[in-house]
């Protein structure tokens, strides 16, 4: 029984430590950061592979060989 109890205490301590870290973080209102985020996305849209796609010659995920079934 003491094993479960000590595990619970350890987990609770980890949670408290994480909450303390998060409480110390500087918070910025989304109304202030949304404009920066939109501007960043617009400035980098030409180099975003999700928007422009990846050239077949430089795509590391493209199959090297085709599969042939006989």
């Amino acid at each position: 029984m003491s094993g479960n109890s000590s595990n619970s205490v350890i987990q609770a301590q980890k949670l408290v430590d994480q909450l303390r870290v998060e409480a110390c973080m500087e918070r910025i209102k989304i109304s202030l950061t949304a404009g920066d985020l939109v501007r960043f996305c617009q400035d980098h849209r030409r180099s975003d592979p999700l928007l422009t796609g990846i050239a077949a010659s430089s795509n590391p995920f493209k199959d090297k060989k085709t599969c042939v079934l006989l």
Side-chain angles (χ1 to χ4, degrees):
M1 189 70 163
S2 96
N4 275 345
S5 177
S6 64
N7 278 343
S8 292
V9 171
I10 291 170
Q11 285 180 342
Q13 185 61 45
K14 287 181 181 181
L15 178 61
V16 168
D17 291 342
Q18 180 63 33
L19 291 173
R20 283 186 178 141
V21 168
E22 291 178 18
C24 292
M25 286 184 181
E26 181 184 356
R27 307 282 180 179
I28 302 172
K29 291 185 176 187
I30 190 67
S31 59
L32 299 176
T33 59
D36 291 340
L37 181 58
V38 168
R39 202 167 15 266
F40 178 85
C41 291
Q42 289 174 342
D43 291 346
H44 294 87
R45 67 178 173 251
R46 295 188 192 280
S47 61
D48 188 336
L50 295 175
L51 298 174
T52 59
I54 300 173
S57 60
S58 65
N59 186 351
F61 302 106
K62 183 180 178 191
D63 290 335
K64 305 292 184 212
K65 300 178 183 177
T66 58
C67 180
V68 178
L69 296 176
L70 299 175

Short mmCIF file of all heavy atoms in Angstrom, two decimals:
data_model
loop_
_atom_site.label_atom_id
_atom_site.label_comp_id
_atom_site.label_asym_id
_atom_site.label_seq_id
_atom_site.Cartn_x
_atom_site.Cartn_y
_atom_site.Cartn_z
N MET A 1 0.83 -1.19 0.00
CA MET A 1 0.00 0.00 0.00
C MET A 1 0.86 1.25 0.00
O MET A 1 0.52 2.24 -0.58
CB MET A 1 -0.93 -0.05 1.22
CG MET A 1 -1.98 1.02 1.20
SD MET A 1 -3.18 0.66 -0.08
CE MET A 1 -4.48 1.70 0.41
N SER A 2 2.03 1.19 0.68
CA SER A 2 2.88 2.38 0.76
C SER A 2 3.49 2.70 -0.60
O SER A 2 3.82 3.83 -0.86
CB SER A 2 3.94 2.20 1.83
OG SER A 2 5.15 1.75 1.30
N GLY A 3 3.63 1.69 -1.47
CA GLY A 3 4.13 1.91 -2.83
C GLY A 3 3.22 2.82 -3.62
O GLY A 3 3.65 3.73 -4.30
N ASN A 4 1.90 2.55 -3.55
CA ASN A 4 0.91 3.39 -4.22
C ASN A 4 0.91 4.79 -3.66
O ASN A 4 0.78 5.77 -4.37
CB ASN A 4 -0.49 2.79 -4.12
CG ASN A 4 -0.77 1.77 -5.19
OD1 ASN A 4 -0.05 1.70 -6.18
ND2 ASN A 4 -1.81 0.99 -5.00
N SER A 5 1.03 4.88 -2.36
CA SER A 5 1.01 6.17 -1.68
C SER A 5 2.21 7.01 -2.10
O SER A 5 2.08 8.19 -2.40
CB SER A 5 1.00 5.97 -0.17
OG SER A 5 1.06 7.22 0.49
N SER A 6 3.38 6.40 -2.16
CA SER A 6 4.58 7.16 -2.54
C SER A 6 4.53 7.56 -4.01
O SER A 6 4.99 8.64 -4.38
CB SER A 6 5.84 6.37 -2.23
OG SER A 6 5.90 5.20 -3.00
N ASN A 7 3.95 6.70 -4.87
CA ASN A 7 3.77 7.06 -6.27
C ASN A 7 2.83 8.25 -6.41
O ASN A 7 3.08 9.15 -7.22
CB ASN A 7 3.22 5.88 -7.08
CG ASN A 7 4.31 4.91 -7.48
OD1 ASN A 7 5.49 5.24 -7.46
ND2 ASN A 7 3.90 3.71 -7.85
N SER A 8 1.77 8.27 -5.63
CA SER A 8 0.83 9.39 -5.68
C SER A 8 1.50 10.67 -5.23
O SER A 8 1.28 11.73 -5.82
CB SER A 8 -0.38 9.12 -4.78
OG SER A 8 -1.16 8.08 -5.29
N VAL A 9 2.32 10.59 -4.21
CA VAL A 9 3.02 11.78 -3.72
C VAL A 9 4.00 12.28 -4.77
O VAL A 9 4.10 13.49 -5.02
CB VAL A 9 3.74 11.47 -2.38
CG1 VAL A 9 4.65 12.62 -1.97
CG2 VAL A 9 2.73 11.17 -1.29
N ILE A 10 4.71 11.38 -5.41
CA ILE A 10 5.68 11.76 -6.45
C ILE A 10 4.96 12.41 -7.63
O ILE A 10 5.40 13.44 -8.14
CB ILE A 10 6.51 10.54 -6.90
CG1 ILE A 10 7.43 10.09 -5.77
CG2 ILE A 10 7.31 10.85 -8.15
CD1 ILE A 10 8.11 8.76 -6.01
N GLN A 11 3.85 11.82 -8.06
CA GLN A 11 3.09 12.39 -9.17
C GLN A 11 2.53 13.76 -8.80
O GLN A 11 2.55 14.68 -9.61
CB GLN A 11 1.95 11.45 -9.57
CG GLN A 11 2.41 10.24 -10.34
CD GLN A 11 1.24 9.33 -10.72
OE1 GLN A 11 0.17 9.41 -10.14
NE2 GLN A 11 1.48 8.47 -11.68
N ALA A 12 2.04 13.90 -7.57
CA ALA A 12 1.51 15.19 -7.12
C ALA A 12 2.62 16.23 -7.08
O ALA A 12 2.41 17.39 -7.47
CB ALA A 12 0.84 15.05 -5.76
N GLN A 13 3.81 15.85 -6.65
CA GLN A 13 4.93 16.78 -6.58
C GLN A 13 5.34 17.23 -7.98
O GLN A 13 5.63 18.40 -8.22
CB GLN A 13 6.12 16.15 -5.86
CG GLN A 13 7.28 17.10 -5.65
CD GLN A 13 6.91 18.30 -4.81
OE1 GLN A 13 6.26 18.17 -3.78
NE2 GLN A 13 7.30 19.48 -5.24
N LYS A 14 5.36 16.29 -8.94
CA LYS A 14 5.68 16.64 -10.33
C LYS A 14 4.65 17.61 -10.88
O LYS A 14 4.99 18.56 -11.59
CB LYS A 14 5.74 15.38 -11.19
CG LYS A 14 6.98 14.55 -10.95
CD LYS A 14 7.00 13.33 -11.86
CE LYS A 14 8.22 12.48 -11.62
NZ LYS A 14 8.27 11.30 -12.49
N LEU A 15 3.38 17.38 -10.58
CA LEU A 15 2.32 18.26 -11.04
C LEU A 15 2.48 19.66 -10.44
O LEU A 15 2.38 20.67 -11.15
CB LEU A 15 0.95 17.69 -10.68
CG LEU A 15 -0.26 18.54 -11.07
CD1 LEU A 15 -0.32 18.75 -12.57
CD2 LEU A 15 -1.53 17.89 -10.57
N VAL A 16 2.76 19.72 -9.16
CA VAL A 16 2.96 21.02 -8.49
C VAL A 16 4.15 21.75 -9.10
O VAL A 16 4.08 22.95 -9.37
CB VAL A 16 3.13 20.82 -6.97
CG1 VAL A 16 3.62 22.09 -6.31
CG2 VAL A 16 1.83 20.36 -6.34
N ASP A 17 5.23 21.03 -9.36
CA ASP A 17 6.41 21.64 -9.97
C ASP A 17 6.09 22.20 -11.35
O ASP A 17 6.49 23.32 -11.70
CB ASP A 17 7.56 20.64 -10.07
CG ASP A 17 8.14 20.26 -8.71
OD1 ASP A 17 7.90 21.00 -7.73
OD2 ASP A 17 8.82 19.22 -8.63
N GLN A 18 5.35 21.43 -12.15
CA GLN A 18 4.97 21.88 -13.49
C GLN A 18 4.07 23.11 -13.41
O GLN A 18 4.23 24.05 -14.17
CB GLN A 18 4.27 20.75 -14.26
CG GLN A 18 3.84 21.13 -15.65
CD GLN A 18 5.00 21.49 -16.57
OE1 GLN A 18 6.09 20.93 -16.46
NE2 GLN A 18 4.78 22.42 -17.45
N LEU A 19 3.12 23.10 -12.50
CA LEU A 19 2.23 24.25 -12.34
C LEU A 19 3.00 25.50 -11.91
O LEU A 19 2.69 26.61 -12.34
CB LEU A 19 1.12 23.92 -11.35
CG LEU A 19 0.10 22.90 -11.83
CD1 LEU A 19 -0.85 22.53 -10.70
CD2 LEU A 19 -0.67 23.42 -13.03
N ARG A 20 4.01 25.32 -11.08
CA ARG A 20 4.84 26.46 -10.67
C ARG A 20 5.60 27.04 -11.86
O ARG A 20 5.70 28.25 -12.02
CB ARG A 20 5.82 26.04 -9.58
CG ARG A 20 5.17 25.90 -8.23
CD ARG A 20 6.19 25.64 -7.15
NE ARG A 20 5.51 25.55 -5.86
CZ ARG A 20 5.81 24.70 -4.91
NH1 ARG A 20 6.81 23.86 -5.06
NH2 ARG A 20 5.13 24.69 -3.79
N VAL A 21 6.14 26.16 -12.70
CA VAL A 21 6.85 26.62 -13.91
C VAL A 21 5.89 27.40 -14.80
O VAL A 21 6.21 28.48 -15.29
CB VAL A 21 7.46 25.42 -14.66
CG1 VAL A 21 7.93 25.82 -16.04
CG2 VAL A 21 8.59 24.81 -13.86
N GLU A 22 4.70 26.86 -15.03
CA GLU A 22 3.73 27.51 -15.89
C GLU A 22 3.24 28.83 -15.30
O GLU A 22 2.98 29.78 -16.04
CB GLU A 22 2.55 26.57 -16.16
CG GLU A 22 2.94 25.39 -17.03
CD GLU A 22 1.79 24.43 -17.27
OE1 GLU A 22 0.62 24.81 -17.08
OE2 GLU A 22 2.07 23.28 -17.66
N ALA A 23 3.12 28.91 -13.98
CA ALA A 23 2.66 30.14 -13.34
C ALA A 23 3.68 31.26 -13.48
O ALA A 23 3.31 32.44 -13.51
CB ALA A 23 2.37 29.88 -11.86
N CYS A 24 4.95 30.91 -13.63
CA CYS A 24 6.00 31.92 -13.76
C CYS A 24 6.18 32.41 -15.19
O CYS A 24 6.90 33.39 -15.42
CB CYS A 24 7.32 31.37 -13.25
SG CYS A 24 7.33 31.09 -11.47
N MET A 25 5.55 31.75 -16.16
CA MET A 25 5.71 32.15 -17.56
C MET A 25 5.03 33.49 -17.81
O MET A 25 3.94 33.75 -17.31
CB MET A 25 5.10 31.10 -18.49
CG MET A 25 5.88 29.86 -18.62
SD MET A 25 5.08 28.81 -19.85
CE MET A 25 6.17 27.43 -19.81
N GLU A 26 5.70 34.30 -18.65
CA GLU A 26 5.11 35.57 -19.04
C GLU A 26 3.98 35.29 -20.03
O GLU A 26 4.15 34.55 -20.99
CB GLU A 26 6.15 36.46 -19.69
CG GLU A 26 5.62 37.80 -20.11
CD GLU A 26 6.66 38.65 -20.84
OE1 GLU A 26 7.82 38.20 -20.94
OE2 GLU A 26 6.29 39.72 -21.31
N ARG A 27 2.84 35.88 -19.78
CA ARG A 27 1.67 35.70 -20.65
C ARG A 27 1.47 36.94 -21.50
O ARG A 27 1.63 38.07 -21.04
CB ARG A 27 0.42 35.46 -19.82
CG ARG A 27 0.53 34.35 -18.81
CD ARG A 27 0.38 33.02 -19.46
NE ARG A 27 0.50 31.97 -18.44
CZ ARG A 27 0.39 30.72 -18.71
NH1 ARG A 27 0.14 30.34 -19.93
NH2 ARG A 27 0.53 29.83 -17.77
N ILE A 28 1.13 36.74 -22.77
CA ILE A 28 0.83 37.84 -23.67
C ILE A 28 -0.57 37.60 -24.24
O ILE A 28 -0.89 36.49 -24.66
CB ILE A 28 1.86 37.92 -24.81
CG1 ILE A 28 3.26 38.09 -24.24
CG2 ILE A 28 1.54 39.06 -25.75
CD1 ILE A 28 4.37 37.98 -25.26
N LYS A 29 -1.38 38.64 -24.24
CA LYS A 29 -2.75 38.49 -24.72
C LYS A 29 -2.77 38.14 -26.20
O LYS A 29 -1.97 38.64 -26.99
CB LYS A 29 -3.53 39.78 -24.49
CG LYS A 29 -3.78 40.07 -23.04
CD LYS A 29 -4.66 41.28 -22.87
CE LYS A 29 -4.95 41.47 -21.39
NZ LYS A 29 -5.92 42.53 -21.17
N ILE A 30 -3.68 37.26 -26.58
CA ILE A 30 -3.79 36.82 -27.97
C ILE A 30 -4.13 37.99 -28.89
O ILE A 30 -3.73 38.01 -30.05
CB ILE A 30 -4.81 35.66 -28.11
CG1 ILE A 30 -4.77 35.04 -29.51
CG2 ILE A 30 -6.22 36.15 -27.83
CD1 ILE A 30 -3.50 34.32 -29.81
N SER A 31 -4.85 38.98 -28.37
CA SER A 31 -5.18 40.14 -29.19
C SER A 31 -3.92 40.88 -29.63
O SER A 31 -3.90 41.53 -30.66
CB SER A 31 -6.11 41.08 -28.44
OG SER A 31 -5.51 41.51 -27.23
N LEU A 32 -2.84 40.78 -28.85
CA LEU A 32 -1.59 41.42 -29.21
C LEU A 32 -0.73 40.54 -30.12
O LEU A 32 -0.01 41.04 -30.99
CB LEU A 32 -0.79 41.76 -27.95
CG LEU A 32 -1.45 42.72 -26.97
CD1 LEU A 32 -0.59 42.88 -25.73
CD2 LEU A 32 -1.69 44.07 -27.63
N THR A 33 -0.78 39.25 -29.94
CA THR A 33 0.08 38.36 -30.70
C THR A 33 -0.53 37.89 -32.03
O THR A 33 0.20 37.47 -32.92
CB THR A 33 0.45 37.12 -29.88
OG1 THR A 33 -0.74 36.43 -29.51
CG2 THR A 33 1.23 37.50 -28.64
N ALA A 34 -1.83 37.98 -32.18
CA ALA A 34 -2.48 37.49 -33.40
C ALA A 34 -1.98 38.24 -34.63
O ALA A 34 -1.71 37.63 -35.67
CB ALA A 34 -4.00 37.61 -33.28
N GLY A 35 -1.83 39.55 -34.51
CA GLY A 35 -1.33 40.34 -35.64
C GLY A 35 0.08 39.93 -36.03
O GLY A 35 0.40 39.82 -37.22
N ASP A 36 0.93 39.67 -35.03
CA ASP A 36 2.29 39.22 -35.31
C ASP A 36 2.29 37.86 -36.00
O ASP A 36 3.07 37.62 -36.91
CB ASP A 36 3.10 39.13 -34.02
CG ASP A 36 3.40 40.48 -33.40
OD1 ASP A 36 3.34 41.50 -34.13
OD2 ASP A 36 3.70 40.52 -32.20
N LEU A 37 1.42 36.98 -35.56
CA LEU A 37 1.33 35.65 -36.14
C LEU A 37 0.87 35.72 -37.60
O LEU A 37 1.45 35.06 -38.47
CB LEU A 37 0.38 34.77 -35.33
CG LEU A 37 0.21 33.34 -35.80
CD1 LEU A 37 1.54 32.61 -35.84
CD2 LEU A 37 -0.78 32.60 -34.93
N VAL A 38 -0.12 36.52 -37.87
CA VAL A 38 -0.61 36.69 -39.24
C VAL A 38 0.49 37.27 -40.13
O VAL A 38 0.73 36.80 -41.24
CB VAL A 38 -1.88 37.58 -39.27
CG1 VAL A 38 -2.22 37.99 -40.69
CG2 VAL A 38 -3.04 36.85 -38.62
N ARG A 39 1.17 38.27 -39.63
CA ARG A 39 2.25 38.91 -40.39
C ARG A 39 3.38 37.90 -40.67
O ARG A 39 3.90 37.84 -41.79
CB ARG A 39 2.78 40.11 -39.61
CG ARG A 39 3.48 41.13 -40.39
CD ARG A 39 3.73 42.46 -39.67
NE ARG A 39 3.57 42.49 -38.22
CZ ARG A 39 2.45 42.86 -37.58
NH1 ARG A 39 1.37 43.19 -38.26
NH2 ARG A 39 2.40 42.87 -36.27
N PHE A 40 3.75 37.10 -39.68
CA PHE A 40 4.78 36.08 -39.87
C PHE A 40 4.36 35.09 -40.95
O PHE A 40 5.16 34.74 -41.82
CB PHE A 40 5.05 35.34 -38.56
CG PHE A 40 6.06 34.24 -38.69
CD1 PHE A 40 7.41 34.52 -38.58
CD2 PHE A 40 5.66 32.93 -38.93
CE1 PHE A 40 8.35 33.50 -38.70
CE2 PHE A 40 6.59 31.92 -39.05
CZ PHE A 40 7.94 32.21 -38.95
N CYS A 41 3.13 34.62 -40.89
CA CYS A 41 2.63 33.65 -41.88
C CYS A 41 2.65 34.24 -43.28
O CYS A 41 3.03 33.57 -44.25
CB CYS A 41 1.23 33.18 -41.51
SG CYS A 41 1.19 32.15 -40.04
N GLN A 42 2.25 35.49 -43.40
CA GLN A 42 2.24 36.14 -44.72
C GLN A 42 3.65 36.35 -45.25
O GLN A 42 3.91 36.17 -46.44
CB GLN A 42 1.49 37.46 -44.65
CG GLN A 42 0.00 37.29 -44.47
CD GLN A 42 -0.74 38.60 -44.25
OE1 GLN A 42 -0.15 39.61 -43.91
NE2 GLN A 42 -2.05 38.56 -44.45
N ASP A 43 4.58 36.70 -44.37
CA ASP A 43 5.96 36.93 -44.78
C ASP A 43 6.66 35.64 -45.22
O ASP A 43 7.57 35.68 -46.04
CB ASP A 43 6.77 37.58 -43.65
CG ASP A 43 6.34 39.01 -43.37
OD1 ASP A 43 5.62 39.59 -44.20
OD2 ASP A 43 6.71 39.52 -42.29
N HIS A 44 6.26 34.51 -44.66
CA HIS A 44 6.93 33.24 -44.94
C HIS A 44 6.11 32.28 -45.80
O HIS A 44 6.47 31.11 -45.94
CB HIS A 44 7.33 32.56 -43.62
CG HIS A 44 8.35 33.34 -42.86
ND1 HIS A 44 8.02 34.34 -41.99
CD2 HIS A 44 9.69 33.27 -42.87
CE1 HIS A 44 9.13 34.85 -41.48
NE2 HIS A 44 10.15 34.22 -42.00
N ARG A 45 5.03 32.75 -46.39
CA ARG A 45 4.15 31.84 -47.13
C ARG A 45 4.82 31.26 -48.37
O ARG A 45 4.52 30.16 -48.79
CB ARG A 45 2.84 32.51 -47.48
CG ARG A 45 2.96 33.64 -48.48
CD ARG A 45 1.59 34.23 -48.81
NE ARG A 45 1.75 35.41 -49.63
CZ ARG A 45 1.52 36.64 -49.23
NH1 ARG A 45 1.10 36.86 -48.00
NH2 ARG A 45 1.70 37.65 -50.04
N ARG A 46 5.76 31.98 -48.98
CA ARG A 46 6.42 31.48 -50.19
C ARG A 46 7.36 30.31 -49.89
O ARG A 46 7.62 29.49 -50.77
CB ARG A 46 7.19 32.59 -50.88
CG ARG A 46 6.29 33.68 -51.41
CD ARG A 46 7.06 34.67 -52.27
NE ARG A 46 6.29 35.86 -52.56
CZ ARG A 46 5.37 35.96 -53.50
NH1 ARG A 46 5.10 34.90 -54.23
NH2 ARG A 46 4.72 37.08 -53.71
N SER A 47 7.84 30.21 -48.68
CA SER A 47 8.76 29.12 -48.33
C SER A 47 8.08 28.02 -47.52
O SER A 47 8.75 27.12 -47.03
CB SER A 47 9.95 29.68 -47.55
OG SER A 47 9.51 30.28 -46.34
N ASP A 48 6.77 28.08 -47.40
CA ASP A 48 6.03 27.09 -46.62
C ASP A 48 5.67 25.90 -47.51
O ASP A 48 4.86 26.03 -48.42
CB ASP A 48 4.76 27.72 -46.05
CG ASP A 48 4.03 26.81 -45.07
OD1 ASP A 48 4.22 25.57 -45.15
OD2 ASP A 48 3.28 27.31 -44.24
N PRO A 49 6.26 24.73 -47.26
CA PRO A 49 5.99 23.58 -48.12
C PRO A 49 4.54 23.09 -48.06
O PRO A 49 4.07 22.43 -48.98
CB PRO A 49 6.95 22.50 -47.61
CG PRO A 49 7.36 22.93 -46.26
CD PRO A 49 7.21 24.41 -46.20
N LEU A 50 3.81 23.42 -47.00
CA LEU A 50 2.41 23.03 -46.94
C LEU A 50 1.56 23.85 -47.91
O LEU A 50 0.52 23.39 -48.37
CB LEU A 50 1.87 23.18 -45.52
CG LEU A 50 2.49 22.25 -44.48
CD1 LEU A 50 1.95 22.59 -43.09
CD2 LEU A 50 2.23 20.81 -44.82
N LEU A 51 2.02 25.06 -48.23
CA LEU A 51 1.28 25.91 -49.15
C LEU A 51 1.79 25.78 -50.58
O LEU A 51 1.00 25.81 -51.53
CB LEU A 51 1.38 27.38 -48.72
CG LEU A 51 0.77 27.72 -47.35
CD1 LEU A 51 1.06 29.16 -46.99
CD2 LEU A 51 -0.72 27.45 -47.35
N THR A 52 3.10 25.65 -50.74
CA THR A 52 3.67 25.65 -52.08
C THR A 52 3.93 24.25 -52.62
O THR A 52 4.13 24.08 -53.82
CB THR A 52 5.01 26.41 -52.09
OG1 THR A 52 5.91 25.79 -51.18
CG2 THR A 52 4.81 27.86 -51.70
N GLY A 53 3.97 23.26 -51.76
CA GLY A 53 4.27 21.90 -52.19
C GLY A 53 5.77 21.67 -52.21
O GLY A 53 6.57 22.59 -52.08
N ILE A 54 6.15 20.44 -52.41
CA ILE A 54 7.56 20.05 -52.45
C ILE A 54 7.86 19.51 -53.84
O ILE A 54 7.11 18.67 -54.35
CB ILE A 54 7.87 18.97 -51.38
CG1 ILE A 54 7.56 19.50 -49.99
CG2 ILE A 54 9.32 18.52 -51.47
CD1 ILE A 54 7.67 18.46 -48.90
N ALA A 55 8.95 19.98 -54.42
CA ALA A 55 9.34 19.48 -55.75
C ALA A 55 9.63 17.98 -55.64
O ALA A 55 10.23 17.51 -54.67
CB ALA A 55 10.57 20.22 -56.24
N ALA A 56 9.20 17.24 -56.63
CA ALA A 56 9.38 15.78 -56.62
C ALA A 56 10.86 15.40 -56.52
O ALA A 56 11.21 14.40 -55.89
CB ALA A 56 8.75 15.17 -57.85
N SER A 57 11.72 16.20 -57.11
CA SER A 57 13.16 15.87 -57.10
C SER A 57 13.78 16.04 -55.71
O SER A 57 14.78 15.40 -55.40
CB SER A 57 13.90 16.76 -58.09
OG SER A 57 13.74 18.12 -57.74
N SER A 58 13.21 16.89 -54.87
CA SER A 58 13.79 17.12 -53.54
C SER A 58 12.93 16.56 -52.42
O SER A 58 13.20 16.82 -51.25
CB SER A 58 14.02 18.62 -53.33
OG SER A 58 12.77 19.29 -53.31
N ASN A 59 11.91 15.79 -52.74
CA ASN A 59 11.02 15.24 -51.74
C ASN A 59 11.64 14.00 -51.10
O ASN A 59 11.77 12.96 -51.75
CB ASN A 59 9.66 14.88 -52.36
CG ASN A 59 8.65 14.44 -51.33
OD1 ASN A 59 8.97 14.22 -50.17
ND2 ASN A 59 7.41 14.30 -51.77
N PRO A 60 12.05 14.08 -49.83
CA PRO A 60 12.68 12.92 -49.20
C PRO A 60 11.70 11.78 -48.91
O PRO A 60 12.12 10.66 -48.63
CB PRO A 60 13.24 13.49 -47.89
CG PRO A 60 12.37 14.64 -47.60
CD PRO A 60 11.95 15.21 -48.92
N PHE A 61 10.41 12.03 -48.99
CA PHE A 61 9.41 11.02 -48.68
C PHE A 61 8.89 10.30 -49.92
O PHE A 61 8.11 9.37 -49.82
CB PHE A 61 8.24 11.65 -47.93
CG PHE A 61 8.69 12.31 -46.65
CD1 PHE A 61 8.74 13.68 -46.56
CD2 PHE A 61 9.07 11.56 -45.55
CE1 PHE A 61 9.16 14.30 -45.41
CE2 PHE A 61 9.50 12.16 -44.39
CZ PHE A 61 9.54 13.54 -44.31
N LYS A 62 9.33 10.72 -51.09
CA LYS A 62 8.89 10.09 -52.33
C LYS A 62 9.51 8.70 -52.43
O LYS A 62 10.69 8.50 -52.11
CB LYS A 62 9.31 10.94 -53.52
CG LYS A 62 8.84 10.39 -54.84
CD LYS A 62 9.28 11.25 -55.99
CE LYS A 62 8.82 10.60 -57.28
NZ LYS A 62 9.42 11.22 -58.44
N ASP A 63 8.72 7.74 -52.87
CA ASP A 63 9.22 6.37 -53.05
C ASP A 63 10.32 6.37 -54.09
O ASP A 63 10.21 6.99 -55.15
CB ASP A 63 8.10 5.43 -53.48
CG ASP A 63 7.10 5.19 -52.36
OD1 ASP A 63 7.48 5.34 -51.19
OD2 ASP A 63 5.94 4.86 -52.67
N LYS A 64 11.39 5.66 -53.79
CA LYS A 64 12.51 5.57 -54.72
C LYS A 64 12.20 4.63 -55.88
O LYS A 64 12.60 4.85 -57.00
CB LYS A 64 13.77 5.07 -54.01
CG LYS A 64 14.17 5.88 -52.80
CD LYS A 64 14.63 7.26 -53.19
CE LYS A 64 15.10 8.00 -51.96
NZ LYS A 64 14.89 9.38 -51.97
N LYS A 65 11.45 3.59 -55.59
CA LYS A 65 11.08 2.61 -56.60
C LYS A 65 9.57 2.45 -56.61
O LYS A 65 8.91 2.70 -55.61
CB LYS A 65 11.71 1.25 -56.30
CG LYS A 65 13.22 1.25 -56.25
CD LYS A 65 13.71 -0.15 -55.90
CE LYS A 65 15.20 -0.17 -55.77
NZ LYS A 65 15.70 -1.48 -55.36
N THR A 66 9.06 2.02 -57.72
CA THR A 66 7.66 1.71 -57.77
C THR A 66 7.47 0.23 -57.44
O THR A 66 8.34 -0.59 -57.70
CB THR A 66 7.08 2.00 -59.17
OG1 THR A 66 7.79 1.24 -60.13
CG2 THR A 66 7.18 3.48 -59.49
N CYS A 67 6.35 -0.05 -56.87
CA CYS A 67 6.05 -1.43 -56.48
C CYS A 67 5.35 -2.11 -57.67
O CYS A 67 4.39 -1.61 -58.21
CB CYS A 67 5.15 -1.42 -55.26
SG CYS A 67 4.71 -3.07 -54.69
N VAL A 68 5.87 -3.26 -58.03
CA VAL A 68 5.29 -4.01 -59.16
C VAL A 68 4.75 -5.33 -58.62
O VAL A 68 5.46 -6.09 -57.99
CB VAL A 68 6.36 -4.27 -60.25
CG1 VAL A 68 5.76 -5.09 -61.38
CG2 VAL A 68 6.95 -2.98 -60.75
N LEU A 69 3.47 -5.55 -58.87
CA LEU A 69 2.85 -6.81 -58.47
C LEU A 69 2.73 -7.71 -59.69
O LEU A 69 2.31 -7.29 -60.75
CB LEU A 69 1.46 -6.57 -57.88
CG LEU A 69 1.43 -5.76 -56.60
CD1 LEU A 69 0.00 -5.50 -56.19
CD2 LEU A 69 2.16 -6.46 -55.49
N LEU A 70 3.12 -8.94 -59.52
CA LEU A 70 3.04 -9.89 -60.63
C LEU A 70 1.80 -10.73 -60.51
O LEU A 70 1.28 -11.07 -59.56
CB LEU A 70 4.27 -10.79 -60.65
CG LEU A 70 5.59 -10.03 -60.84
CD1 LEU A 70 6.75 -11.02 -60.72
CD2 LEU A 70 5.63 -9.35 -62.19
#
